Amino acid sequence: MKTPECCSICSKKTEDGIHLLRVYICGDCEKEMLETPADDPKYQFFIDQMNKAHRTAIYS
Ligand SMILES: [Zn+2]
């Protein structure tokens, strides 16, 4: 049985997410990220959230 984890992007608790590096991302955010072009400002937001979460994962 899987344990629900908090998505690093939207903070939603879900079991259908994936671990990207050491960051947990829910299925919705993963899909949205894949559909967001790299030159979209929203893409940078995803990257920022990922970096933030990644740093927290390392230093906590
Ligand atoms: Zn999410």
Side-chain angles (χ1 to χ4, degrees):
M1 206 182 117
K2 282 186 169 173
T3 319
E5 285 189 61
C6 267
C7 170
S8 295
I9 310 284
C10 67
S11 304
K12 191 172 76 181
K13 255 204 160 132
T14 173
E15 292 175 22
D16 69 348
I18 52 147
H19 281 102
L20 219 69
L21 302 172
R22 300 167 79 164
V23 179
Y24 188 74
I25 297 177
C26 74
D28 291 344
C29 287
E30 188 205 355
K31 210 173 128 222
E32 212 177 333
M33 221 169 136
L34 291 174
E35 286 170 356
T36 305
D39 59 355
D40 193 310
K42 212 163 85 184
Y43 190 83
Q44 191 56 48
F45 167 77
F46 284 126
I47 301 295
D48 287 347
Q49 290 298 103
M50 294 266 302
N51 284 338
K52 234 185 278 174
H54 192 212
R55 266 199 301 271
T56 310
I58 288 174
Y59 294 115
S60 61

